[in-house]
Amino acid sequence: MKTAVIVFPGSNCDQDMYYAIKDGLGEDVEYVWHGETSLEGFDAVMIPGGFSYGDYLRCGAIARFSGIMPAVIRAAREGKPVLGVCNGFQILTESGLLPGALLKNRDLKFICETVHLKVENNRTLFTSLYQKGETIRIPIAHGEGNYFCDDQTLKELKENHRIVFSYAGENPNGSMANIAGIVNSSGNVLGMMPHPERAADALLGNVDGLRLFKSILNNWRESAHAAYTS
């Protein structure tokens, strides 16, 4: 599996994401600068956290116009896995690949801590190695992670099991319905505020996030095998 890690001016979790793939999975991974226009040859796309374009105007609002984003949208429409974490989640909502928006945290303070997440849906390509209802520990670090959407969108997210992760126990940022991560209607685009790449190595004291990346790899291998044998 060859993975692209998109790098915007202001990305600061790109190396964390890179090494989660390279060392955690032992798979091929490359940085792709935001000014590039093609993702040809890549099997998965990661949009890391950070402060793209300094969060000017609104988080992710400028990044969505970067040269690479049409290629990201094409990759999503082709069914390739696209993961956006933190600022990556904000960019996915700004680009229309995911519904809703990320508002300022309820207490208007930047939060950096490890939180508990509940796995709401383990039947996605991102979560197949988790148990439904399992509680995991994943770090968060954001000032605008308060997920919001209109009532109809929330109804659709719930009815179609598109809420993948929710905050277990205390809701750190005021997110609607305790939402920490959602997928698109096709299930191949995941946006989440917590950082699984910061919980992907025993040296970090936490490997709860590594299974997310392993789930993506397993799905890719199974898809490749199915295509080979069909």
Side-chain angles (χ1 to χ4, degrees), residues 52 62 85 91 104 109 163 206 223:
S52 59
I62 300 177
V85 172
I91 293 170
K104 290 184 181 298
K109 295 180 179 178
I163 300 173
N206 185 354
S223 299

Side-chain angles (χ1 to χ4, degrees), residues 10-13 17 46-52 55 59-60 83-94 98 101-103 105 110-112 138-147 167 173 180-181 190-198:
S11 294
N12 64 10
C13 298
M17 192 72 83
M46 307 286 154
I47 306 179
F51 302 91
S52 59
D55 281 351
C59 297
L83 170 65
V85 172
C86 197
N87 191 211
F89 188 8
Q90 295 159 345
I91 293 170
L92 291 177
T93 59
E94 290 288 342
L98 289 173
L102 283 307
L103 309 180
N105 293 342
F110 187 90
I111 307 170
C112 182
I138 302 289
I140 59 171
H142 57 249
E144 299 186 23
N146 182 356
Y147 182 80
Y167 296 107
N173 51 33
L190 169 65
M192 59 188 296
M193 290 310 298
H195 289 264
E197 78 281 5
R198 295 186 184 180

Side-chain angles (χ1 to χ4, degrees), residues 29-42:
V29 56
E30 291 182 11
Y31 296 117
V32 176
W33 185 237
H34 73 108
E36 299 291 333
T37 57
S38 173
L39 289 169
E40 187 71 27
F42 289 101

Side-chain angles (χ1 to χ4, degrees), residues 1 28 34 45 56 59 88 101 104 114 125 139 141 154 164 168 177 187 230:
M1 184 176 76
D28 192 10
H34 73 108
V45 180
Y56 289 119
C59 297
K104 290 184 181 298
T114 296
L125 66 87
L154 181 60
V164 176
S230 63

Side-chain angles (χ1 to χ4, degrees), residues 4 81 119 147 185 203 213:
V119 180
Y147 182 80
S185 58
L203 287 173
F213 297 104

